[in-house]
Amino acid sequence: MHKDVKKILVSEEEIIQRCKELGEEIKKDYEKKNELPLVVGLLKGSVPFLAELVKHLDMDICYEFMDVSSYEGTESIGDVKVNLDLRSSVKGVPVLLVEDIIDTGRTVQEVKRLLKHKGASEVRVVSLLDKPDRRVVDIEADYVGFKVPNEFVIGFGLDYNQKYRNLPYVGVLKDECYQ
Ligand code: IMP
Ligand code: MG
């Protein structure tokens, strides 16, 4: 375990197992509707989760990435500033949005709004983690890996000051590591 980690909340094995389950569930749901989603990951936090999930999504999907930051002034559509946009059009396309964690819910709410504005036929959300206690807007993911308590978590894509994203598990940072 990394020296800055207080405890592990979700192990690598648990994440891989859950990605298998989610992959099967998601595949079934889209097959029922006879649709193929465009998988859209939000940078940078979703990268490890997206990489694991798509291995278990046994369909001919394509994936793209977007980088957004919330609540900044210029170039904003709604409350989201787009730092890196999609390369392909989502007009008429069902989108599966991949996120690392849903906290207040603002990011996912705004990105869903943006993708619908761009013409996506539907936007579903899959999030590795969900912190329901922190929610300030009425939004839920369609698929959740794990619910976590109201603690700041790191690893498997999640960072503190851009660090710890590469840890293969989700853990809680030691108090003395916060500046
Ligand atoms: P929301 O818009 O409040 O739902 O926040 C979502 C974003 O905040 C996530 O995509 C993360 O980048 C970040 N975030 C929220 N909670 C945590 C956490 O516990 N650890 C690391 N990043 C977090
Ligand atoms: Mg994020």
Side-chain angles (χ1 to χ4, degrees):
M1 187 163 80
H2 192 288
K3 63 173 175 42
D4 297 349
V5 172
K6 186 157 72 180
K7 63 175 178 212
I8 294 180
L9 285 182
V10 193
S11 71
E12 183 173 20
E13 292 73 25
E14 288 171 316
I15 295 172
I16 293 170
Q17 178 55 34
R18 189 72 187 114
C19 285
K20 282 185 190 160
E21 296 165 3
L22 286 172
E24 284 167 19
E25 188 184 344
I26 291 168
K27 175 187 148 110
K28 259 194 219 148
D29 287 354
Y30 281 99
E31 275 182 351
K32 251 187 250 161
K33 305 194 300 168
N34 204 15
E35 283 180 349
L36 206 54
L38 174 68
V39 176
V40 173
L42 290 185
L43 294 174
K44 304 173 210 172
S46 74
V47 170
F49 175 48
L50 185 145
E52 188 57 43
L53 182 68
V54 294
K55 288 189 228 169
H56 309 287
L57 210 48
D58 186 18
M59 312 158 80
D60 289 329
I61 51 106
C62 296
Y63 59 76
E64 297 270 346
F65 292 96
M66 272 180 99
D67 181 25
V68 302
S69 39
S70 315
Y71 333 122
E72 282 172 75
T74 50
E75 289 174 61
S76 73
I77 303 166
D79 278 337
V80 167
K81 180 185 173 209
V82 178
N83 304 314
L84 178 78
D85 209 345
L86 296 171
R87 282 164 163 250
S88 64
S89 166
V90 294
K91 220 179 176 106
V93 173
V95 170
L96 178 65
L97 186 64
V98 184
E99 180 56 313
D100 51 359
I101 188 165
I102 305 188
D103 188 35
T104 66
R106 287 196 180 104
T107 306
V108 162
Q109 186 185 50
E110 289 306 320
V111 174
K112 269 183 100 164
R113 199 174 282 167
L114 175 65
L115 290 168
K116 284 187 183 152
H117 176 81
K118 286 169 173 281
S121 61
E122 185 200 44
V123 182
R124 289 195 182 197
V125 178
V126 55
S127 184
L128 173 63
L129 305 175
D130 185 11
K131 232 193 250 179
D133 294 347
R134 292 254 310 161
R135 204 75 91 251
V136 301
V137 296
D138 184 21
I139 197 136
E140 294 303 328
D142 299 272
Y143 309 94
V144 170
F146 303 91
K147 282 196 176 147
V148 290
N150 189 6
E151 286 186 283
F152 193 81
V153 294
I154 49 159
F156 222 88
L158 293 121
D159 72 303
Y160 175 65
N161 286 344
Q162 300 302 324
K163 227 172 128 181
Y164 311 112
R165 292 190 195 274
N166 60 318
L167 298 182
Y169 47 80
V170 174
V172 180
L173 196 60
K174 284 183 183 164
D175 297 332
E176 63 260 36
C177 298
Y178 294 106
Q179 290 155 1

Coordinates of all heavy atoms in Angstrom, one line a residue, residues 130-176:
D130 N -19.7 6.5 -6.4 CA -20.9 7.3 -6.1 C -20.8 7.7 -4.6 O -20.6 6.9 -3.8 CB -22.2 6.6 -6.4 CG -23.4 7.5 -6.3 OD1 -23.2 8.7 -6.2 OD2 -24.5 6.9 -6.2
K131 N -20.9 9.1 -4.4 CA -20.8 9.6 -3.1 C -22.2 10.3 -2.8 O -22.3 11.5 -2.9 CB -19.7 10.6 -3.0 CG -18.7 10.4 -1.8 CD -17.9 11.6 -1.6 CE -16.5 11.5 -2.0 NZ -15.7 12.7 -1.9
P132 N -23.2 9.5 -2.6 CA -24.6 10.0 -2.5 C -24.8 11.1 -1.5 O -25.6 12.0 -1.7 CB -25.5 8.8 -2.3 CG -24.6 7.7 -1.9 CD -23.2 8.0 -2.3
D133 N -24.1 11.0 -0.4 CA -24.3 12.0 0.7 C -23.9 13.4 0.3 O -24.4 14.4 1.0 CB -23.4 11.6 1.9 CG -23.8 10.3 2.6 OD1 -24.9 9.8 2.2 OD2 -23.0 9.8 3.4
R134 N -23.1 13.6 -0.7 CA -22.7 14.9 -1.1 C -23.5 15.6 -2.2 O -23.2 16.7 -2.6 CB -21.2 14.8 -1.6 CG -20.3 14.4 -0.5 CD -19.4 15.6 -0.1 NE -18.8 16.2 -1.3 CZ -18.4 17.5 -1.3 NH1 -18.5 18.2 -0.2 NH2 -17.9 18.0 -2.4
R135 N -24.5 14.9 -2.7 CA -25.3 15.3 -3.9 C -26.0 16.7 -3.6 O -26.6 16.8 -2.6 CB -26.3 14.3 -4.3 CG -26.7 14.4 -5.7 CD -25.6 13.9 -6.7 NE -25.8 12.5 -7.0 CZ -25.0 11.5 -6.5 NH1 -24.0 11.8 -5.8 NH2 -25.3 10.3 -6.9
V136 N -25.8 17.6 -4.5 CA -26.6 18.9 -4.4 C -27.6 19.0 -5.6 O -28.4 19.9 -5.6 CB -25.7 20.1 -4.3 CG1 -24.8 20.0 -3.1 CG2 -24.9 20.3 -5.6
V137 N -27.4 18.2 -6.7 CA -28.4 18.3 -7.8 C -29.0 16.9 -7.9 O -28.4 15.9 -7.5 CB -27.8 18.8 -9.1 CG1 -27.3 20.2 -9.0 CG2 -26.7 17.8 -9.6
D138 N -30.2 16.9 -8.5 CA -31.0 15.7 -8.6 C -30.5 14.8 -9.8 O -31.1 14.9 -10.9 CB -32.5 16.0 -8.7 CG -33.3 14.8 -8.7 OD1 -32.9 13.7 -8.2 OD2 -34.5 14.9 -9.2
I139 N -29.4 14.1 -9.6 CA -28.9 13.3 -10.7 C -28.4 11.9 -10.1 O -27.8 11.9 -9.0 CB -27.8 14.0 -11.5 CG1 -27.6 13.3 -12.9 CG2 -26.5 14.1 -10.8 CD1 -27.6 14.3 -14.0
E140 N -28.6 10.9 -10.9 CA -28.1 9.6 -10.5 C -27.4 8.9 -11.7 O -27.9 9.2 -12.8 CB -29.2 8.6 -10.0 CG -29.9 9.1 -8.7 CD -28.9 9.2 -7.5 OE1 -27.9 8.5 -7.5 OE2 -29.2 10.1 -6.7
A141 N -26.4 8.1 -11.5 CA -25.8 7.4 -12.6 C -26.7 6.2 -12.9 O -27.4 5.7 -12.1 CB -24.4 6.9 -12.2
D142 N -26.7 5.8 -14.2 CA -27.5 4.6 -14.6 C -26.8 3.3 -14.1 O -27.4 2.3 -13.8 CB -27.6 4.6 -16.1 CG -28.3 5.8 -16.6 OD1 -29.6 5.8 -16.6 OD2 -27.7 6.8 -16.9
Y143 N -25.5 3.4 -14.0 CA -24.7 2.3 -13.5 C -23.6 2.8 -12.6 O -22.9 3.7 -12.9 CB -24.0 1.5 -14.7 CG -24.9 1.2 -15.8 CD1 -25.1 2.0 -16.9 CD2 -25.7 0.0 -15.8 CE1 -25.9 1.7 -18.0 CE2 -26.5 -0.3 -16.8 CZ -26.6 0.6 -17.9 OH -27.5 0.2 -18.9
V144 N -23.5 2.1 -11.4 CA -22.5 2.6 -10.4 C -21.7 1.4 -10.0 O -22.2 0.3 -9.8 CB -23.2 3.1 -9.1 CG1 -22.2 3.4 -8.0 CG2 -23.9 4.4 -9.5
G145 N -20.3 1.6 -9.9 CA -19.4 0.6 -9.5 C -19.6 0.3 -8.0 O -20.0 -0.7 -7.5
F146 N -19.3 1.4 -7.2 CA -19.3 1.3 -5.7 C -19.8 2.6 -5.1 O -19.4 3.7 -5.6 CB -17.9 1.0 -5.2 CG -17.3 -0.3 -5.7 CD1 -16.5 -0.2 -6.9 CD2 -17.5 -1.5 -5.1 CE1 -15.9 -1.4 -7.4 CE2 -16.9 -2.6 -5.7 CZ -16.2 -2.6 -6.8
K147 N -20.6 2.4 -4.1 CA -21.0 3.6 -3.3 C -19.8 3.8 -2.2 O -19.4 2.8 -1.7 CB -22.3 3.4 -2.6 CG -23.5 3.6 -3.5 CD -24.8 3.8 -2.8 CE -25.8 4.1 -3.8 NZ -27.1 3.6 -3.5
V148 N -19.4 5.1 -2.1 CA -18.4 5.3 -1.0 C -18.9 6.3 0.0 O -19.8 7.2 -0.3 CB -17.1 5.8 -1.7 CG1 -16.4 4.7 -2.5 CG2 -17.3 7.0 -2.6
P149 N -18.4 6.3 1.2 CA -18.8 7.2 2.2 C -18.3 8.6 1.9 O -17.5 8.8 1.0 CB -18.2 6.7 3.5 CG -17.0 5.8 3.1 CD -17.4 5.3 1.7
N150 N -18.7 9.6 2.7 CA -18.3 11.0 2.5 C -16.9 11.2 2.9 O -16.7 11.9 3.9 CB -19.3 11.9 3.2 CG -19.1 13.3 2.8 OD1 -18.3 13.6 2.0 ND2 -19.8 14.2 3.5
E151 N -15.9 10.7 2.2 CA -14.5 10.9 2.5 C -13.8 11.2 1.2 O -14.3 10.7 0.1 CB -13.9 9.6 3.1 CG -14.3 9.3 4.5 CD -13.6 8.1 5.1 OE1 -13.9 7.0 4.7 OE2 -12.6 8.3 5.9
F152 N -12.7 11.9 1.2 CA -12.0 12.2 0.0 C -11.2 11.0 -0.4 O -10.4 10.5 0.4 CB -11.1 13.4 0.2 CG -10.6 13.9 -1.1 CD1 -11.4 14.8 -1.9 CD2 -9.3 13.5 -1.6 CE1 -10.9 15.2 -3.1 CE2 -8.9 14.0 -2.8 CZ -9.7 14.8 -3.6
V153 N -11.5 10.5 -1.6 CA -10.8 9.2 -2.0 C -9.8 9.5 -3.2 O -10.0 10.5 -3.9 CB -11.9 8.2 -2.5 CG1 -12.7 7.7 -1.3 CG2 -12.8 8.7 -3.6
I154 N -8.9 8.6 -3.3 CA -7.9 8.7 -4.3 C -7.6 7.3 -5.0 O -8.0 6.3 -4.4 CB -6.5 9.2 -3.8 CG1 -6.1 8.5 -2.5 CG2 -6.6 10.7 -3.5 CD1 -4.7 8.5 -2.2
G155 N -7.0 7.4 -6.1 CA -6.6 6.1 -6.8 C -7.5 5.7 -7.9 O -8.7 6.2 -8.0
F156 N -7.1 4.8 -8.7 CA -7.8 4.3 -9.9 C -8.4 5.5 -10.7 O -9.6 5.5 -11.1 CB -8.9 3.3 -9.5 CG -9.0 2.2 -10.4 CD1 -8.2 1.0 -10.3 CD2 -9.8 2.2 -11.6 CE1 -8.2 0.0 -11.2 CE2 -9.9 1.2 -12.5 CZ -9.1 0.0 -12.3
G157 N -7.6 6.5 -10.9 CA -8.0 7.7 -11.7 C -8.3 8.9 -10.8 O -8.1 10.0 -11.3
L158 N -8.6 8.7 -9.6 CA -8.9 9.9 -8.7 C -7.7 10.5 -8.1 O -6.8 9.7 -7.7 CB -9.9 9.5 -7.6 CG -11.3 9.1 -8.2 CD1 -11.6 7.7 -7.9 CD2 -12.3 10.1 -7.7
D159 N -7.6 11.8 -8.1 CA -6.4 12.4 -7.7 C -6.5 13.3 -6.5 O -7.7 13.7 -6.1 CB -5.9 13.3 -8.8 CG -6.7 14.6 -9.0 OD1 -7.9 14.4 -9.2 OD2 -6.2 15.7 -8.9
Y160 N -5.4 13.7 -5.8 CA -5.3 14.8 -5.0 C -4.2 15.7 -5.5 O -3.0 15.2 -5.6 CB -5.0 14.4 -3.5 CG -4.8 15.6 -2.6 CD1 -5.9 16.5 -2.4 CD2 -3.6 15.9 -2.0 CE1 -5.7 17.6 -1.6 CE2 -3.4 17.0 -1.2 CZ -4.5 17.9 -1.0 OH -4.3 19.0 -0.2
N161 N -4.4 16.9 -6.0 CA -3.4 17.7 -6.7 C -2.7 16.9 -7.8 O -1.5 17.0 -7.9 CB -2.4 18.3 -5.7 CG -3.0 19.4 -4.8 OD1 -4.0 19.9 -5.2 ND2 -2.3 19.7 -3.8
Q162 N -3.5 16.2 -8.6 CA -3.0 15.5 -9.8 C -2.2 14.2 -9.4 O -1.8 13.5 -10.3 CB -2.2 16.4 -10.7 CG -2.9 17.5 -11.3 CD -4.2 17.1 -12.1 OE1 -4.2 16.1 -12.7 NE2 -5.2 17.9 -12.0
K163 N -2.0 13.9 -8.1 CA -1.3 12.8 -7.7 C -2.2 11.6 -7.4 O -3.3 11.8 -7.0 CB -0.5 13.2 -6.5 CG 1.0 12.8 -6.5 CD 1.7 13.4 -5.3 CE 2.5 12.3 -4.6 NZ 3.2 12.9 -3.4
Y164 N -1.6 10.4 -7.4 CA -2.2 9.2 -6.9 C -3.2 8.6 -7.9 O -3.9 7.6 -7.6 CB -3.0 9.3 -5.6 CG -2.2 10.0 -4.5 CD1 -2.6 11.3 -4.0 CD2 -1.1 9.4 -3.9 CE1 -1.8 11.9 -3.0 CE2 -0.3 10.0 -2.9 CZ -0.7 11.3 -2.5 OH 0.0 11.9 -1.5
R165 N -3.3 9.2 -9.1 CA -4.3 8.6 -10.1 C -3.9 7.2 -10.5 O -4.7 6.4 -10.9 CB -4.3 9.5 -11.4 CG -4.9 10.8 -11.2 CD -5.1 11.5 -12.6 NE -5.3 12.9 -12.5 CZ -6.5 13.5 -12.4 NH1 -7.6 12.7 -12.2 NH2 -6.6 14.8 -12.4
N166 N -2.6 6.9 -10.4 CA -2.1 5.6 -10.9 C -2.2 4.5 -9.9 O -1.8 3.3 -10.2 CB -0.6 5.7 -11.4 CG 0.3 6.2 -10.3 OD1 -0.1 7.1 -9.5 ND2 1.5 5.6 -10.2
L167 N -2.7 4.7 -8.7 CA -2.8 3.6 -7.7 C -3.8 2.6 -8.2 O -4.9 3.1 -8.8 CB -3.3 4.2 -6.3 CG -2.3 5.2 -5.6 CD1 -2.9 5.6 -4.3 CD2 -0.9 4.6 -5.5
P168 N -3.6 1.3 -8.1 CA -4.5 0.4 -8.7 C -5.7 0.1 -7.8 O -6.5 -0.9 -8.1 CB -3.6 -0.9 -8.8 CG -2.6 -0.7 -7.8 CD -2.3 0.7 -7.6
Y169 N -5.9 0.8 -6.8 CA -7.1 0.6 -5.9 C -7.6 2.0 -5.5 O -7.0 3.0 -5.8 CB -6.7 -0.1 -4.6 CG -5.4 0.5 -4.0 CD1 -5.4 1.6 -3.2 CD2 -4.1 -0.1 -4.2 CE1 -4.3 2.1 -2.6 CE2 -3.0 0.4 -3.7 CZ -3.1 1.5 -2.9 OH -1.9 2.1 -2.3
V170 N -8.8 2.0 -4.9 CA -9.4 3.3 -4.3 C -9.1 3.3 -2.8 O -9.5 2.4 -2.1 CB -10.9 3.4 -4.7 CG1 -11.5 4.6 -4.0 CG2 -11.1 3.4 -6.2
G171 N -8.5 4.4 -2.4 CA -8.2 4.5 -0.9 C -8.5 5.9 -0.4 O -8.9 6.8 -1.1
V172 N -8.3 6.0 0.9 CA -8.5 7.3 1.6 C -7.1 7.8 2.0 O -6.2 7.0 2.4 CB -9.3 7.1 2.9 CG1 -9.5 8.4 3.6 CG2 -10.7 6.5 2.6
L173 N -6.9 9.1 1.7 CA -5.6 9.7 1.9 C -5.4 10.0 3.4 O -6.3 10.4 4.1 CB -5.6 11.0 1.1 CG -4.2 11.7 0.9 CD1 -3.3 10.8 0.1 CD2 -4.5 13.0 0.1
K174 N -4.2 9.8 3.9 CA -3.9 10.2 5.3 C -4.1 11.7 5.5 O -3.7 12.5 4.6 CB -2.4 9.8 5.6 CG -2.2 8.3 5.9 CD -0.7 8.1 6.3 CE -0.5 6.6 6.4 NZ 0.9 6.3 6.4
D175 N -4.6 12.0 6.7 CA -4.9 13.4 7.0 C -3.7 14.3 6.8 O -3.8 15.5 6.3 CB -5.4 13.6 8.4 CG -6.7 12.8 8.6 OD1 -7.5 12.7 7.6 OD2 -7.0 12.4 9.7
E176 N -2.5 13.9 7.2 CA -1.3 14.7 7.1 C -0.8 15.0 5.7 O 0.1 15.8 5.5 CB -0.1 14.1 8.0 CG 0.4 12.7 7.5 CD -0.2 11.6 8.3 OE1 -1.3 11.6 8.7 OE2 0.6 10.6 8.5

